[in-house]
Structures are given as structure tokens and as C-alpha cells.
């Protein structure tokens, strides 16, 4: 082979080597970048969906509180002729509810008569709970949340538009973003005699929901027409309240189909307008309002800076670029000597890149030349390292998703399942019992005098007590039984397939005994007790709502009977439960 041809072949092989190396590095970088962006989008959409579900659960929690208040005997009595005792009793219940829910601005009982006169009203005023009396009570019959709620059947919820509260005398809620939920109070004739109304602090609710998100995340909320209600820039919210419209579909054009109801969710990358200097990737989810409301839907969104998404891809790109540059330099010098040796590894690596881009979870069909001690081996090992890093990042993203799901189903303080998880377990138990005919028991438990402990030892003392109570409940029950914390000092236990009614009573005694032992806190012994209400399937109900309501009622009977005891709900005259021989 003549030197001229050798030189040309060497130059040709060097050029091919440079081109192959450059394309390999570029393709690997683009593949890793696309994988990271797609994974980040999927993670962001999952997080947004979980957050939307938590918003729905928060609304359902308010509806349950409305149900409790509207069915309270004092509420029904207070809508009739003036009765100071019932008004005072209901006001005390309102105050307790306000303390348990810091996001509530106001709770009111509004009469269906007297132009919608407020009968009982409790407001949040800065750092205290204030009962409004006498001439300060106002007529609210002209507001849609009153007239709308009075048209609903018992137990139905009315949801107002999300607006800035301009109602005179609203104390802490005045000029604040608010949403109002209301439920009718129905008398014995089935007529709505009034309405229970709860004014909720929108910012407080979403601040709580967003507390567990990464700091760089931006949270958005818009109504069904696209008006921003929550935005990273507060000046962009509630534009309609100031005579202008600031719409999500104008800032994020891809959300227009979501606003029009054509899609349920959307992902978008934005690098223009206000995001020209700091591009973001964002996900938006539309949620229909499932209760009677002036709003038909809401749009929830999360945005993450693109620089965070691509941070790892840029590092990998720099590594690939350095490796490609080194390989090209070596290829020019020794291309004529190692053309054939270089060709095969380059082709193998290109195939590995394509396989990895197609399925990043599987191992490449062709083994990379990681054992070689030349530049090809360096490139192969670096590429393998890049693959491992990407896989690790994807595994970390999966773990984050699992953590979010775990948080959505478990109580943060005690680690017990929360209301959502327990409701699913109760529904499963009902379905199994309806198929097999096997009974089960539901315990509704409330810590006696928990407020006194909180008042004396603060929330730290109350939290410490709740953790110990949770540990004792777990230690006392069987692994097949379900234990959950509903919130505050309320716990529930699902006793799976007990043999006899007496066995249920025995377990209830064990639960009471487990918490009678003093709890040591800051050198002091805290003596507590439980009031337990017990409902039995099928004697006390055949639905989750019936069983929970019966157990809750029995728990209050236990409290009225002197606390630190248990009561069975009033079941059938001839119980279907077996009794021991």
C-alpha cells in the first residue's frame, strides 16, 4: 500500500472516527436529555395529580364538617324561635371547629327566614376566635351561597366562586382570597330552615398542600374560565376583581384545550414571555367540581425550572464532549494503524446508544468494551457510567413518586394510615363481608380531655401523646386489624372477623387498658383515657357512612356517660352476631 493511499485512508478513517465519535456523543447527550425531560414531565404530572387529589380530599373534609354541624341538634333548634341555650351550645361547637381548622375564616348559621339573618356566627380575628352577637349579625339572604344552599337536599354541599372577600365585618377574612362552602339545615318536615356556612382561607389551604413540594416548584390555580387564583406573582391573581382578566391560557398557550374541556391534563415547556430568561416545564390538571357550585371546574398546575431538569444532562453532556474530543485527537494520530480495531467498537457503542435510547431500563444486547485499556475503553466506561447515572436518576424519581403516594395515604405525625387509606380498607372489608357474610366491628375512638393537655403542654406535648397512643394501639391490636388516625385526637380501628360480640368488648377493654398507663412527658406523668364507640356489621349498618356515623354516635354516648369507657351502638333487636355457647 502506497504512502499516498495510506495517508488518504488514514485521513478518511480519521474523519470517519471523528464523525462517529461526535455523533455518538451527541446522540447520547440528546437521548439522556430527552429521557430526563420526559421523566421530569411524568414526575411533575404525577405530583400535580396527587396534589389535585389532596385538594379534593380537603374539600371533602370541609363537607364532612358541614355534615356534622348541619345535623347537630343545636343547629336545628337554633333556626327556630330564639333559644339562647341552643345558640350558645352551637357557638361553642363552632369555636371548637375553628380551633381544629386554622384555615377557616368564619363559621355561621344563617336562617332561611328574616332575610337570611345570621343566627350564630364565629369569626377568626387575627390570633383569636371571636363570636359575633347582637346588632353585628347581618342579613345574608341575597348572597348566592345562602339561596343556593337552601335549595339543596340534606347533606348536599354548595361551593361558591373563589373570590376576594369584600363582605363588611369579615375580620381576618376581609379582602382575602376565600371560598365559601355551605350546607342546608333541614328540619323534621324536610324543609331547609337555615344553612351552615364555612368561609375557607384559600391561601392557607394551598400553603399547607404545597409545603411538601420542592422550593423551586411554582403552584398555579385557575377557575374554569382560566382566571388565575393562585400564581407565583400575586399581582397576576384575581384580575377580574380589579376590572381586568389575567388568564392561564394567555400565559401558557397549551392550556387552552384544558380550559375548553377538550383534555383533562396537559404538559408544556415555556421559554417566552415572562419565562424567556428562565424557561420552565409545567403540568396542568383540570378537576371538575362535583358539588353544586357557581364554578364548573378548576385548573391546578405546577411548574419547574428547566435548568433544574437539565442540570444532570448538562453534566453528562460535558463528560461526553470531553471524551469525544479526546477520542478524535487520538483517532487523527493513529487512525491508519487502528482503523479496523476502532471500527468495530464504535459500531458496537452506537448500537448500545440506540438500544439505550429505545429502552433505557434494559441492558444493551452488545457488551461495551469496558475492559479495553485504550480510548475506546475509556469511552465505553464513561458511557456505561452515564447509563448507570441515568438509571439511578430514574430510580430516584420513582422513589419520590412512591414517597408522595405514601404521604397521601398516611398520617405524617403518627405514621398510621390516614382517612383516605382507612376508607379504602373499610370499603374492602364491606365488599368482603357482603360476599362471605362474615361480620366485623368498627371502633371510633377519641382521646378524653385532649384539649386540656394541648392547653397545658402545647402542641409538642399533644403530638408526643398522640404518637405514644398510636404505638400502644398498634401493640394491642392484631396485624390483620386496621388502625388509622382520622385527624386531631380521633382514631379508628377495624376489627376483622371477631368471633363473638363479647370478643369485641374484650378488645375494647384492652384498648382502654393500653392507654390507662401514665405517659411520661418532660418529667410529668400524663393520665389519659379513651371514649370508644363501637358499631357492628351488619347489625348497625351496611354502608361505610352508616357504620362510621353509628360508631361516632356511640363514642359521644361513652363521653356523656363519664368518658374512659366504650359503648356499643344501638343495633337490631335480634342481633345477627353469634354469641358464645
Amino acid at each position: 500500500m502506497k504512502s499516498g493511499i495510506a495517508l488518504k485512508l488514514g485521513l478518511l478513517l480519521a474523519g470517519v472516527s471523528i464523525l462517529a465519535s461526535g455523533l455518538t456523543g451527541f446522540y447520547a447527550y440528546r437521548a439522556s436529555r430527552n429521557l430526563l425531560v420526559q421523566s421530569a414531565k411524568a414526575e411533575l404530572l404525577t405530583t400535580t395529580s396527587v396534589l389535585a387529589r389532596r385538594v379534593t380530599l380537603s374539600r371533602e373534609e370541609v363537607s364532612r364538617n358541614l355534615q356534622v354541624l348541619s345535623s347537630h341538634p343545636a343547629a336545628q333548634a337554633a333556626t327556630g324561635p330564639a333559644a339562647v341555650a341552643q345558640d350558645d351550645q352551637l357557638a361553642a361547637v363552632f369555636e371548637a371547629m375553628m380551633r381544629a381548622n386554622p384555615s377557616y375564616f368564619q363559621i355561621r348559621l344563617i336562617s332561611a327566614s328574616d332575610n337570611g339573618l345570621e343566627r350564630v356566627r364565629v369569626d377568626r380575628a387575627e390570633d383569636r376566635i371571636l363570636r359575633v352577637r347582637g346588632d353585628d349579625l347581618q342579613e345574608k339572604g341575597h348572597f348566592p351561597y345562602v339561596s343556593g344552599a337552601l335549595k339543596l337536599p340534606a347533606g348536599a354541599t354548595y361551593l361558591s366562586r373563589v373570590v376576594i372577600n369584600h363582605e363588611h365585618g369579615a375580620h381576618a377574612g376581609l379582602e382575602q382570597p376565600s371560598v365559601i362552602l355551605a350546607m342546608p339545615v333541614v328540619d323534621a318536615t324536610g324543609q331547609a330552615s337555615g344553612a351552615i356556612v364555612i368561609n375557607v382561607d384559600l391561601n392557607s389551604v394551598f400553603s399547607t398542600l404545597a409545603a411538601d413540594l420542592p422550593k423551586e416548584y411554582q403552584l398555579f390555580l385557575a377557575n374554569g374560565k382560566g382566571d388565575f387564583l393562585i400564581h407565583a406573582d400575586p399581582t397576576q391573581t384575581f384580575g377580574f376583581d380589579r376590572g381586568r382578566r389575567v388568564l392561564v391560557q394567555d400565559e401558557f398557550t397549551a392550556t387552552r384545550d384544558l380550559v375548553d374541556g377538550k383534555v383533562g391534563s396537559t404538559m408544556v415547556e415555556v421559554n417566552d414571555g415572562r419565562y424567556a430568561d428562565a424557561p420552565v416545564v409545567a403540568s396542568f390538571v383540570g378537576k371538575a367540581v362535583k358539588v353544586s357550585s357557581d364554578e364548573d371546574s378548576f385548573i391546578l398546575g405546577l411548574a419547574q425550572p428547566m435548568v433544574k431538569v437539565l442540570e444532570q444532562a448538562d453534566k453528562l453532556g460535558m463528560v461526553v464532549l470531553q471524551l469525544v474530543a479526546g477520542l478524535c485527537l487520538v483517532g487523527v494520530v493513529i487512525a491508519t494503524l487502528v482503523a479496523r480495531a476502532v471500527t468495530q467498537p464504535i459500531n458496537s457503542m452506537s448500537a448500545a446508544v440506540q438500544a439505550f435510547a429505545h429502552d433505557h431500563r434494559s441492558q444493551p444486547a452488545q457488551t461495551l468494551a469496558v475492559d479495553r485499556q485504550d480510548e475506546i475503553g475509556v469511552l465505553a466506561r464513561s458511557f456505561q457510567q452515564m447509563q448507570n447515572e441515568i438509571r439511578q436518576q430514574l430510580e430516584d424519581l420513582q422513589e419520590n413518586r412512591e414517597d408522595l403516594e405514601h404521604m397521601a395515604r398516611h398520617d405524617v405525625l403518627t405514621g398510621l394510615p390516614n382517612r383516605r387509606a382507612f376508607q379504602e380498607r373499610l370499603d374492602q372489608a364491606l365488599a368482603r363481608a357482603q360476599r362471605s357474610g362474615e361480620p366485623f366491628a368498627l371502633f371510633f375512638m377519641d382521646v378524653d380531655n385532649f384539649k386540656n393537655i394541648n392547653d397545658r403542654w402545647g402542641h409538642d406535648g399533644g403530638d408526643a401523646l398522640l404518637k405514644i397512643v398510636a404505638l400502644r394501639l398498634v401493640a394491642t391490636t392484631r396485624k390483620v386489624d386496621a388502625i388509622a388516625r382520622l385527624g386531631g385526637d380521633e382514631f379508628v380501628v377495624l376489627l376483622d372477623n371477631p368471633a363473638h360480640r363479647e370478643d369485641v368488648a374484650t378488645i375494647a377493654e384492652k384498648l382502654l387498658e393500653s392507654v390507662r398507663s401514665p405517659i411520661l412527658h418532660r418529667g410529668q406523668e400524663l393520665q389519659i383515657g379513651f371514649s370508644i364507640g363501637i358499631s357492628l356489621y351488619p347489625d348497625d349498618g351496611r354502608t361505610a357512612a352508616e357504620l362510621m356515623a353509628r360508631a361516632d354516635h356511640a363514642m359521644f354516648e361513652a363521653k356523656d356517660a363519664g368518658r374512659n369507657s366504650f359503648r356499643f351502638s344501638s343495633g337490631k333487636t335480634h342481633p345477627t352476631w353469634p354469641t358464645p355457647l
Side-chain angles (χ1 to χ4, degrees):
M1 183 179 295
K2 296 182 180 181
S3 60
I5 297 176
L7 179 59
K8 292 178 181 179
L9 180 59
L11 292 175
L12 177 62
L13 293 177
V16 171
S17 176
I18 292 172
L19 180 61
S21 300
L23 289 176
T24 300
F26 175 75
Y27 193 80
Y29 171 73
R30 289 299 300 271
S32 63
R33 182 186 186 279
N34 291 337
L35 286 172
L36 285 171
V37 172
Q38 293 304 319
S39 298
K41 286 182 177 180
E43 170 69 12
L44 200 61
L45 183 59
T46 300
T47 303
T48 307
S49 300
V50 171
L51 192 62
R53 177 58 182 161
R54 292 180 65 186
V55 172
T56 301
L57 293 175
S58 297
R59 196 277 303 160
E60 292 174 351
E61 178 70 18
V62 178
S63 294
R64 284 190 288 271
N65 290 339
L66 285 169
Q67 179 73 43
V68 171
L69 296 176
S70 63
S71 61
H72 197 285
Q76 299 179 0
T79 56
V84 176
Q86 286 81 358
D87 289 357
D88 292 341
Q89 182 183 3
L90 189 59
V93 175
F94 283 4
E95 291 174 2
M97 187 72 72
M98 291 280 285
R99 292 189 180 93
N101 297 274
S103 61
Y104 289 3
F105 275 143
Q106 188 181 69
I107 304 180
R108 294 172 284 175
L109 170 63
I110 298 178
S111 173
S113 59
D114 299 326
N115 296 319
L117 180 65
E118 295 171 333
R119 297 298 299 270
V120 180
R121 172 176 159 187
V122 175
D123 287 5
R124 189 176 303 281
E126 297 180 353
D127 58 346
R128 61 192 179 95
I129 305 299
L130 174 67
R131 180 180 177 185
V132 179
R133 303 173 182 265
D135 293 340
D136 290 332
L137 298 174
Q138 304 173 22
E139 296 177 353
K140 299 292 184 180
H142 57 287
F143 283 95
Y145 60 78
V146 176
S147 58
L150 294 176
K151 297 176 184 178
L152 298 176
T157 301
Y158 177 88
L159 178 71
S160 75
R161 292 184 62 212
V162 179
V163 296
I164 300 294
N165 187 356
H166 297 303
E167 291 188 41
H168 177 70
H171 293 99
L174 186 62
E175 304 301 326
Q176 297 297 320
S178 306
V179 60
I180 295 176
L181 292 93
M183 184 175 289
V185 177
V186 179
D187 59 24
T189 66
Q191 298 296 318
S193 59
I196 298 292
V197 178
I198 297 179
N199 190 326
V200 180
D201 180 0
L202 185 70
N203 287 338
S204 175
V205 171
F206 277 86
S207 295
T208 301
L209 293 176
D212 296 325
L213 296 175
K215 294 181 180 180
E216 68 269 14
Y217 276 37
Q218 299 179 36
L219 177 65
F220 301 94
L221 179 69
N223 59 25
K225 297 179 180 179
D227 298 284
F228 276 117
L229 307 176
I230 293 178
H231 192 286
D233 181 3
T235 63
Q236 302 300 304
T237 61
F238 295 95
F240 57 83
D241 193 66
R242 299 186 293 274
R244 62 190 182 95
R245 303 289 298 278
V246 183
L247 304 176
V248 65
Q249 58 268 37
D250 291 338
E251 186 166 326
F252 300 96
T253 307
T255 62
R256 191 171 300 278
D257 287 345
L258 186 61
V259 175
D260 293 340
K262 297 178 181 179
V263 296
S265 62
T266 186
M267 298 292 306
V268 58
E269 295 182 36
V270 184
N271 55 10
D272 56 6
R274 67 168 52 243
Y275 303 105
D277 296 331
V280 298
V281 56
S283 68
F284 291 87
V285 174
K287 294 292 290 186
V289 177
K290 297 183 180 180
V291 297
S292 178
S293 176
D294 294 331
E295 302 277 10
D296 56 353
S297 64
F298 290 96
I299 297 171
L300 184 67
L302 284 177
Q304 182 181 14
M306 183 66 74
V307 66
K308 285 290 184 181
V309 177
L310 300 180
E311 192 172 67
Q312 295 300 320
D314 291 339
K315 292 180 180 178
L316 290 174
M318 185 57 66
V319 172
V320 172
L321 180 60
Q322 293 171 352
L323 291 173
V324 169
L327 183 58
C328 289
L329 180 60
V330 173
V332 170
V333 177
I334 62 172
T336 57
L337 302 176
V338 294
R340 291 182 61 85
V342 170
T343 301
Q344 185 176 357
I346 288 295
N347 291 336
S348 298
M349 193 165 301
S350 180
V353 170
Q354 293 178 5
F356 182 66
H358 178 72
D359 185 4
H360 55 269
R361 293 184 180 274
S362 64
Q363 295 293 333
Q366 293 181 329
T367 303
L368 296 174
V370 294
D371 295 330
R372 291 180 61 128
Q373 300 303 313
D374 53 14
E375 290 77 11
I376 297 302
V378 173
L379 181 59
R381 289 189 293 275
S382 298
F383 180 72
Q384 185 181 58
Q385 179 184 358
M386 179 186 67
Q387 287 181 314
N388 294 335
E389 290 179 4
I390 291 176
R391 289 194 185 96
Q392 183 61 46
Q393 290 167 10
L394 294 176
E395 291 173 1
D396 292 343
L397 289 174
Q398 179 63 28
E399 290 177 1
N400 290 338
R401 281 197 291 268
E402 293 172 356
D403 290 342
L404 286 173
E405 181 62 24
H406 184 271
M407 290 170 59
R409 296 172 55 84
H410 288 78
D411 176 48
V412 176
L413 178 64
T414 63
L416 294 177
N418 60 12
R419 183 184 295 273
R420 172 189 175 189
F422 181 79
Q423 186 65 49
E424 293 176 358
R425 178 66 182 274
L426 180 55
D427 291 341
Q428 294 171 0
L430 280 169
R432 185 173 62 253
Q434 290 167 359
R435 291 194 304 269
S436 65
E438 295 178 351
F440 65 86
L442 178 64
F443 289 17
F444 198 108
M445 301 178 291
D446 187 272
V447 179
D448 293 333
N449 300 316
F450 183 71
K451 180 180 179 298
N452 295 337
I453 294 174
N454 258 346
D455 291 343
R456 180 178 180 184
W457 297 102
H459 290 296
D460 289 342
D463 290 349
L465 182 143
L466 291 175
K467 291 179 182 178
I468 295 176
V469 167
L471 291 174
R472 293 184 178 181
L473 291 179
V474 171
T476 305
T477 55
R478 304 171 301 177
K479 290 185 178 180
V480 297
D481 299 329
I483 309 171
R485 181 190 177 207
L486 299 184
D489 58 339
E490 294 180 344
F491 296 82
V492 288
V493 173
L494 179 63
L495 194 62
D496 197 15
N497 194 23
H500 304 291
R501 185 186 182 100
E502 285 74 13
D503 295 335
V504 177
T506 300
I507 294 174
E509 285 288 354
K510 289 182 178 178
L511 291 174
L512 290 174
E513 186 63 28
S514 71
V515 299
R516 286 189 181 125
S517 299
I519 294 174
L520 187 63
H521 179 71
R522 295 183 181 177
Q524 298 291 326
E525 290 187 347
L526 305 182
Q527 193 73 41
I528 65 167
F530 258 142
S531 293
I532 303 178
I534 306 173
S535 60
L536 306 175
Y537 176 89
D539 294 351
D540 298 323
R542 292 182 176 273
T543 68
E546 290 175 350
L547 293 169
M548 289 289 286
R550 288 291 186 90
D552 182 48
H553 183 73
M555 183 271 291
F556 279 106
E557 289 182 350
K559 283 188 176 293
D560 293 339
R563 305 176 185 271
N564 200 25
S565 60
F566 67 91
R567 289 290 184 275
F568 282 92
S569 173
S570 55
K572 299 180 180 179
T573 305
H574 301 288
T576 60
W577 274 59
T579 55
L581 298 177

